[in-house]
Protein backbone atom coordinates (compact mmCIF):
# COMPACT_ATOMS: atom_id res chain seq x y z
CA UNK A 1 0.00 0.00 0.00
CA UNK A 2 1.24 3.47 -0.87
CA UNK A 3 1.42 5.97 1.99
CA UNK A 4 -0.25 8.58 -0.19
CA UNK A 5 -2.05 7.90 -3.43
CA UNK A 6 -3.48 10.70 -5.53
CA UNK A 7 -5.64 9.93 -8.54
CA UNK A 8 -6.65 12.65 -11.03
CA UNK A 9 -7.16 15.05 -8.16
CA UNK A 10 -8.73 18.34 -9.26
CA UNK A 11 -9.82 21.53 -7.52
CA UNK A 12 -11.40 24.37 -9.46
CA UNK A 13 -11.98 27.88 -8.10
CA UNK A 14 -14.16 29.75 -10.62
CA UNK A 15 -12.03 29.97 -13.74
CA UNK A 16 -8.83 28.83 -11.93
CA UNK A 17 -7.88 25.18 -12.10
CA UNK A 18 -5.78 25.27 -8.91
CA UNK A 19 -5.09 21.52 -9.14
CA UNK A 20 -5.80 19.88 -12.45
CA UNK A 21 -5.99 16.09 -12.79
CA UNK A 22 -2.93 15.36 -10.65
CA UNK A 23 -1.87 11.75 -9.99
CA UNK A 24 1.17 10.49 -8.09
CA UNK A 25 2.02 8.35 -5.10
CA UNK A 26 4.36 8.46 -2.12
CA UNK A 27 5.95 5.37 -0.57
CA UNK A 28 5.96 4.66 3.19
CA UNK A 29 8.96 6.16 5.00
CA UNK A 30 10.23 8.26 2.10
CA UNK A 31 10.89 11.98 2.10
CA UNK A 32 9.09 13.02 -1.03
CA UNK A 33 9.58 16.42 -2.63
CA UNK A 34 6.56 18.31 -3.86
CA UNK A 35 7.82 21.18 -5.93
CA UNK A 36 6.40 24.07 -7.87
CA UNK A 37 6.61 27.82 -7.92
CA UNK A 38 4.11 30.23 -6.37
CA UNK A 39 0.54 29.41 -7.25
CA UNK A 40 1.40 25.97 -8.69
CA UNK A 41 -1.23 24.24 -6.54
CA UNK A 42 0.88 22.70 -3.77
CA UNK A 43 -1.04 24.10 -0.81
CA UNK A 44 -4.39 23.25 -2.37
CA UNK A 45 -3.21 19.65 -2.85
CA UNK A 46 -2.03 19.38 0.77
CA UNK A 47 -5.32 20.82 2.01
CA UNK A 48 -7.25 18.24 -0.02
CA UNK A 49 -5.12 15.44 1.44
CA UNK A 50 -6.08 16.61 4.93
CA UNK A 51 -9.76 16.96 4.14
CA UNK A 52 -9.60 20.75 4.61
CA UNK A 53 -10.52 21.49 0.99
CA UNK A 54 -12.95 19.34 -0.94
CA UNK A 55 -11.78 18.06 -4.34
CA UNK A 56 -13.88 19.10 -7.34
CA UNK A 57 -13.12 15.67 -8.81
CA UNK A 58 -10.65 12.83 -8.53
CA UNK A 59 -9.65 11.12 -5.33
CA UNK A 60 -6.83 10.59 -2.86
CA UNK A 61 -6.03 8.05 -0.18
CA UNK A 62 -3.73 8.49 2.79
CA UNK A 63 -2.63 5.22 4.43
CA UNK A 64 -5.50 3.63 2.54
CA UNK A 65 -8.13 6.06 3.85
CA UNK A 66 -10.20 8.13 1.47
CA UNK A 67 -9.46 11.80 2.20
CA UNK A 68 -13.09 12.87 1.81
CA UNK A 69 -15.03 10.03 3.41
CA UNK A 70 -12.46 9.23 6.13
CA UNK A 71 -10.91 12.63 6.74
CA UNK A 72 -10.99 12.30 10.54
CA UNK A 73 -8.96 9.10 10.40
CA UNK A 74 -6.57 10.73 7.95
CA UNK A 75 -6.07 13.73 10.24
CA UNK A 76 -5.55 11.42 13.22
CA UNK A 77 -2.59 9.80 11.45
CA UNK A 78 -1.09 12.93 9.86
CA UNK A 79 0.90 15.87 11.14
CA UNK A 80 0.64 19.16 9.29
CA UNK A 81 2.87 22.19 9.23
CA UNK A 82 1.02 24.94 7.33
CA UNK A 83 2.96 27.48 5.26
CA UNK A 84 2.09 30.27 7.60
CA UNK A 85 0.11 30.38 10.74
CA UNK A 86 0.01 32.61 13.73
CA UNK A 87 1.00 30.90 16.95
CA UNK A 88 -0.90 32.25 19.97
CA UNK A 89 1.45 34.98 21.17
CA UNK A 90 0.22 34.87 24.78
CA UNK A 91 0.96 31.14 25.23
CA UNK A 92 4.31 29.60 26.03
CA UNK A 93 5.65 26.91 23.69
CA UNK A 94 4.87 24.28 26.33
CA UNK A 95 1.32 25.54 26.87
CA UNK A 96 0.71 25.56 23.12
CA UNK A 97 1.95 21.97 22.75
CA UNK A 98 -0.36 20.92 25.60
CA UNK A 99 -3.22 22.67 23.83
CA UNK A 100 -2.53 20.74 20.59
CA UNK A 101 -2.15 17.48 22.57
CA UNK A 102 -5.60 18.09 24.08
CA UNK A 103 -7.08 18.40 20.58
CA UNK A 104 -5.80 14.87 19.89
CA UNK A 105 -7.30 13.68 23.20
CA UNK A 106 -3.92 12.52 24.50
CA UNK A 107 -3.90 11.37 28.11
CA UNK A 108 -2.16 13.86 30.41
CA UNK A 109 0.87 11.68 31.18
CA UNK A 110 1.30 10.66 27.52
CA UNK A 111 1.08 14.32 26.47
CA UNK A 112 3.58 15.35 29.13
CA UNK A 113 6.12 12.72 28.04
CA UNK A 114 5.75 13.51 24.33
CA UNK A 115 6.03 17.24 24.85
CA UNK A 116 9.14 16.78 26.94
CA UNK A 117 10.78 14.61 24.29
CA UNK A 118 9.80 16.98 21.43
CA UNK A 119 11.18 19.95 23.36
CA UNK A 120 14.43 18.02 23.69
CA UNK A 121 14.43 16.79 20.09
CA UNK A 122 14.20 20.35 18.78
CA UNK A 123 16.54 21.80 21.38
CA UNK A 124 14.05 24.37 22.66
CA UNK A 125 14.38 23.58 26.38
CA UNK A 126 15.57 27.08 27.25
CA UNK A 127 12.65 28.75 25.47
CA UNK A 128 9.91 26.24 26.30
CA UNK A 129 8.39 28.42 29.02
CA UNK A 130 8.70 31.70 27.16
CA UNK A 131 5.77 33.31 25.38
CA UNK A 132 5.55 32.48 21.67
CA UNK A 133 5.04 36.16 20.85
CA UNK A 134 8.78 36.76 21.12
CA UNK A 135 9.94 33.72 19.14
CA UNK A 136 12.20 34.06 16.08
CA UNK A 137 11.22 32.50 12.74
CA UNK A 138 13.47 29.49 13.34
CA UNK A 139 12.13 28.89 16.84
CA UNK A 140 8.58 29.25 15.56
CA UNK A 141 9.25 26.62 12.88
CA UNK A 142 10.59 24.24 15.53
CA UNK A 143 7.45 24.67 17.61
CA UNK A 144 5.41 24.24 14.43
CA UNK A 145 7.16 20.99 13.66
CA UNK A 146 6.82 19.84 17.27
CA UNK A 147 3.05 20.40 17.14
CA UNK A 148 2.92 18.48 13.84
CA UNK A 149 4.51 15.48 15.59
CA UNK A 150 2.50 15.50 18.81
CA UNK A 151 0.19 12.69 17.68
CA UNK A 152 3.16 10.55 16.54
CA UNK A 153 1.93 10.74 12.95
CA UNK A 154 2.92 8.18 10.36
CA UNK A 155 2.82 10.92 7.74
CA UNK A 156 3.81 14.57 7.97
CA UNK A 157 2.78 17.13 5.41
CA UNK A 158 5.03 20.18 5.44
CA UNK A 159 4.13 23.29 3.47
CA UNK A 160 7.19 25.44 2.76
CA UNK A 161 8.86 24.46 6.07
CA UNK A 162 12.22 26.09 5.35
CA UNK A 163 11.09 29.45 3.97
CA UNK A 164 12.25 32.26 6.20
CA UNK A 165 14.91 30.13 7.90
CA UNK A 166 18.59 31.08 7.97
CA UNK A 167 21.15 28.50 6.73
CA UNK A 168 21.69 26.99 10.18
CA UNK A 169 17.94 26.78 10.90
CA UNK A 170 17.41 25.20 7.48
CA UNK A 171 20.20 22.68 8.04
CA UNK A 172 18.79 21.70 11.46
CA UNK A 173 15.28 21.29 10.12
CA UNK A 174 16.44 19.10 7.24
CA UNK A 175 18.41 16.96 9.73
CA UNK A 176 15.27 16.52 11.86
CA UNK A 177 13.31 15.39 8.83
CA UNK A 178 16.01 12.87 7.88
CA UNK A 179 15.91 11.54 11.43
CA UNK A 180 12.13 11.17 11.35
CA UNK A 181 12.27 9.23 8.12
CA UNK A 182 15.28 7.00 8.85
CA UNK A 183 14.78 6.37 12.59
CA UNK A 184 11.03 6.43 12.90
CA UNK A 185 9.86 5.43 9.42
CA UNK A 186 7.74 8.56 9.11
CA UNK A 187 6.64 9.47 5.58
CA UNK A 188 7.37 13.12 4.80
CA UNK A 189 5.69 15.10 2.04
CA UNK A 190 7.96 18.11 1.70
CA UNK A 191 6.35 20.87 -0.30
CA UNK A 192 8.61 23.73 -1.34
CA UNK A 193 9.61 26.14 -4.05
CA UNK A 194 13.15 26.09 -2.63
CA UNK A 195 14.42 23.51 -5.07
CA UNK A 196 17.87 23.14 -3.50
CA UNK A 197 16.24 21.95 -0.25
CA UNK A 198 14.27 19.37 -2.17
CA UNK A 199 17.42 18.19 -3.90
CA UNK A 200 19.26 17.89 -0.58
CA UNK A 201 16.52 15.91 1.09
CA UNK A 202 14.52 13.92 -1.43
CA UNK A 203 15.15 11.13 -3.89
CA UNK A 204 11.79 11.35 -5.64
CA UNK A 205 9.61 14.32 -6.48
CA UNK A 206 6.41 15.46 -8.10
CA UNK A 207 6.44 18.85 -9.81
CA UNK A 208 3.38 21.00 -10.34
CA UNK A 209 3.09 23.88 -12.76
CA UNK A 210 -0.12 25.90 -12.97
CA UNK A 211 -2.05 23.10 -11.31
CA UNK A 212 -0.77 20.35 -13.57
CA UNK A 213 1.69 17.58 -12.83
CA UNK A 214 4.70 18.16 -15.05
CA UNK A 215 7.03 15.52 -13.59
CA UNK A 216 7.01 12.60 -11.20
CA UNK A 217 9.89 10.28 -10.38
CA UNK A 218 13.48 10.09 -9.11
CA UNK A 219 15.30 13.44 -9.30
CA UNK A 220 18.38 11.93 -10.94
CA UNK A 221 16.35 10.30 -13.69
CA UNK A 222 14.41 13.53 -14.33
CA UNK A 223 17.61 15.57 -14.45
CA UNK A 224 19.21 13.29 -17.00
CA UNK A 225 16.00 13.01 -19.04
CA UNK A 226 15.78 16.81 -19.23
CA UNK A 227 19.56 17.34 -19.52
CA UNK A 228 19.51 19.57 -16.47
CA UNK A 229 22.57 20.16 -14.26
CA UNK A 230 20.55 21.29 -11.24
CA UNK A 231 17.03 21.60 -9.88
CA UNK A 232 16.45 25.15 -11.12
CA UNK A 233 17.33 24.12 -14.65
CA UNK A 234 15.11 21.06 -14.32
CA UNK A 235 12.10 23.04 -13.13
CA UNK A 236 12.55 25.68 -15.84
CA UNK A 237 12.78 22.97 -18.47
CA UNK A 238 9.61 21.30 -17.13
CA UNK A 239 7.74 24.61 -16.97
CA UNK A 240 8.76 25.56 -20.52
CA UNK A 241 7.64 22.21 -21.87
CA UNK A 242 4.29 22.58 -20.09
CA UNK A 243 3.68 26.10 -21.44
N1 LIG B 1 -9.61 29.68 -1.69
C1 LIG B 1 -9.23 30.03 -2.93
N2 LIG B 1 -10.03 30.78 -3.71
C2 LIG B 1 -9.67 31.12 -4.97
N3 LIG B 1 -8.49 30.77 -5.54
C3 LIG B 1 -7.65 30.02 -4.80
C4 LIG B 1 -7.97 29.61 -3.47
N4 LIG B 1 -6.94 28.87 -2.99
C5 LIG B 1 -6.01 28.82 -3.98
N5 LIG B 1 -6.44 29.52 -5.06
C6 LIG B 1 -5.71 29.67 -6.34
O1 LIG B 1 -5.26 28.39 -6.73
C7 LIG B 1 -3.95 28.46 -7.29
C8 LIG B 1 -3.03 27.52 -6.53
O2 LIG B 1 -2.78 28.07 -5.23
P1 LIG B 1 -1.92 27.29 -4.11
O3 LIG B 1 -1.95 28.14 -2.89
O4 LIG B 1 -2.41 25.91 -4.02
O5 LIG B 1 -0.47 27.29 -4.76
P2 LIG B 1 0.95 27.01 -4.11
O6 LIG B 1 1.69 26.14 -5.06
O7 LIG B 1 0.79 26.52 -2.72
O8 LIG B 1 1.59 28.45 -4.12
P3 LIG B 1 2.50 29.22 -3.02
O9 LIG B 1 3.86 28.62 -3.12
O10 LIG B 1 2.45 30.63 -3.52
O11 LIG B 1 1.84 29.05 -1.69
C9 LIG B 1 -3.56 29.93 -7.26
O12 LIG B 1 -3.86 30.50 -8.51
C10 LIG B 1 -4.44 30.49 -6.16
O13 LIG B 1 -4.68 31.86 -6.39
Amino acid sequence: MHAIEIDRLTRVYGSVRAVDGVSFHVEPGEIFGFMGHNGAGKTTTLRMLLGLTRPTSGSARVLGHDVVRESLEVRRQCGFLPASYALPAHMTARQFLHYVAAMFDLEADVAEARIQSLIQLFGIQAAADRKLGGFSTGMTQKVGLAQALINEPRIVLLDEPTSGLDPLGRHELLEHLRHLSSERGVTVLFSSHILSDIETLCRRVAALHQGRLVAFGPIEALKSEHRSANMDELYLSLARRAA
Side-chain angles (χ1 to χ4, degrees):
M1 184 181 69
H2 301 306
I4 299 174
E5 190 162 8
I6 295 179
D7 184 19
R8 288 164 289 170
L9 198 62
T10 299
R11 172 70 206 206
V12 177
Y13 291 109
S15 61
V16 177
R17 299 186 75 80
V19 177
D20 192 1
V22 168
S23 304
F24 66 88
H25 57 265
V26 179
E27 299 301 343
E30 79 172 321
I31 307 181
F32 185 88
F34 193 33
M35 62 194 225
H37 284 178
N38 295 124
K42 305 180 301 295
T43 299
T44 306
T45 304
L46 295 190
R47 290 182 56 84
M48 287 193 280
L49 289 178
L50 287 159
L52 302 172
T53 292
R54 211 181 163 86
T56 306
S57 63
S59 64
R61 299 183 89 77
V62 173
L63 295 170
H65 299 289
D66 183 274
V67 299
V68 175
R69 287 194 303 275
E70 300 167 277
S71 65
L72 282 183
E73 186 53 28
V74 170
R75 260 176 272 173
R76 211 174 61 73
Q77 303 211 32
C78 284
F80 180 41
L81 178 65
S84 62
Y85 66 123
L87 293 176
H90 62 284
M91 278 191 194
T92 68
R94 195 188 303 277
Q95 285 167 341
F96 174 64
L97 293 173
H98 274 286
Y99 168 77
V100 179
M103 291 200 291
F104 281 101
D105 278 335
L106 296 189
E107 307 244 341
D109 52 342
V110 175
E112 185 63 45
R114 280 206 200 149
I115 289 166
Q116 204 48 40
S117 84
L118 287 166
I119 284 173
Q120 262 172 12
L121 177 68
F122 291 108
I124 49 177
Q125 297 93 322
D129 297 304
R130 280 185 6 217
K131 292 215 182 334
L132 291 166
F135 272 36
S136 68
T137 309
M139 295 293 287
T140 301
Q141 281 301 67
K142 286 181 179 175
V143 176
L145 202 52
Q147 68 76 30
L149 298 177
I150 201 100
N151 53 331
E152 293 197 331
R154 290 173 61 198
I155 299 196
V156 286
L157 308 177
L158 307 174
D159 198 355
E160 309 282 0
T162 52
S163 59
L165 293 184
D166 62 24
L168 180 61
R170 170 174 282 139
H171 172 79
E172 284 180 358
L173 190 115
L174 299 186
E175 281 300 304
H176 284 309
L177 298 181
R178 279 200 194 94
H179 171 86
L180 282 177
S181 157
S182 65
E183 304 300 313
R184 303 195 184 181
V186 173
T187 307
V188 179
L189 182 57
F190 183 89
S191 171
S192 185
H193 60 257
I194 304 175
L195 305 181
S196 56
D197 284 348
I198 289 191
E199 187 165 30
T200 305
L201 202 58
C202 310
R203 195 183 69 80
R204 298 195 319 136
V205 293
L208 289 191
H209 181 67
Q210 295 177 349
R212 281 179 292 143
L213 186 82
V214 292
F216 167 50
I219 291 175
E220 287 312 315
L222 292 171
K223 280 202 313 204
S224 72
E225 186 186 328
H226 294 271
R227 295 192 182 81
S228 305
N230 56 50
M231 292 296 278
D232 285 325
E233 268 184 42
L234 173 62
Y235 188 79
L236 286 175
S237 157
L238 294 167
R240 277 198 204 103
R241 268 174 37 138

